[in-house]
Amino acid sequence: MSALPMRIAYVINSVEGGGAASPVPAVLGILRDGGAEVAVFALTARDRRGETAMRAAGFDVQVRDGGETDHVAALWWLDATLRDWAPTHLWTSLTRATLLGQMVGLRRGWPVVSWQHAAFLKPANRVLLRAMQRLSRLWVGILPR
C-alpha cells in the first residue's frame, strides 16, 4: 500500500518582491521534486513582484484581496480557501502567516511546518509566536549572519 502524495499549502504574508517571497520558488521546488503537490496562498498582495517568479516556476498562487491588518478577514479567507484546496500539510512563512496558518491547521487537523527568520522579531510577535509555538509540528529557522 502506498502513501498518498503530500499536498502542501504554502501560506505566506505577501507576494512582495525582495522579501520572504524571494526564496519561495527554490524551497517549493525541492518539495515538488520530492513528490509533493504545492500551491502558494498569500494573505495580501503588496507590490506582487514576488508572484512572477513563483508562477514562472510553475506554482499556483492565490492572493487574497485585502490589507495587512484585517486579520479576522484574512483568517476566514485562509480557512475557506484551504478547505476547498484540501491540503495534507501547511507550511507557513513569517509571523502573520504562521499565526493564522496555525489556527487553520488546528481547526482542520492539518500539520503545520513554520518557517521564521531570527533576524528581528517585534516584541509582540515574539510573545505571540512563543504562545502558539506548540501548534507547529516543525520549526525551520534562519539565523542572522
Side-chain angles (χ1 to χ4, degrees):
M1 186 160 90
S2 64
L4 294 174
M6 289 187 5
R7 193 167 156 89
I8 301 170
Y10 187 89
V11 183
I12 192 166
N13 288 345
S14 75
V15 285
E16 178 177 35
S22 299
V24 168
V27 171
L28 299 187
I30 291 168
L31 298 172
R32 181 178 55 201
D33 292 349
E37 181 181 353
V38 185
V40 177
F41 300 86
L43 300 176
T44 192
R46 289 199 181 163
D47 67 17
R48 293 189 98 114
R49 290 183 306 145
E51 183 178 2
T52 303
M54 292 176 208
R55 290 193 185 277
F59 295 104
D60 178 37
V61 180
Q62 295 187 42
V63 182
R64 183 182 75 89
D65 291 326
E68 298 174 34
T69 59
D70 54 349
H71 306 308
V72 173
L75 177 63
W76 286 115
W77 174 85
L78 186 62
D79 184 55
T81 303
L82 294 183
R83 180 196 65 228
D84 292 343
W85 197 74
T88 59
H89 297 77
L90 305 184
W91 183 304
T92 67
S93 178
L94 303 180
T95 302
R96 184 180 191 209
T98 292
L99 295 170
L100 298 182
Q102 287 172 324
M103 287 185 245
V104 171
L106 178 64
R107 178 170 192 219
R108 300 285 175 189
W110 297 322
V112 178
V113 173
S114 296
W115 177 13
Q116 182 69 48
H117 66 77
F120 173 77
L121 278 175
K122 295 177 185 173
N125 288 349
R126 183 183 307 271
V127 168
L128 287 168
L129 288 170
R130 178 73 68 193
M132 303 275 284
Q133 72 182 8
R134 68 175 180 77
L135 296 180
S136 291
R137 291 238 184 120
L138 177 67
W139 284 88
V140 177
I142 300 172
L143 299 175
R145 292 181 177 195

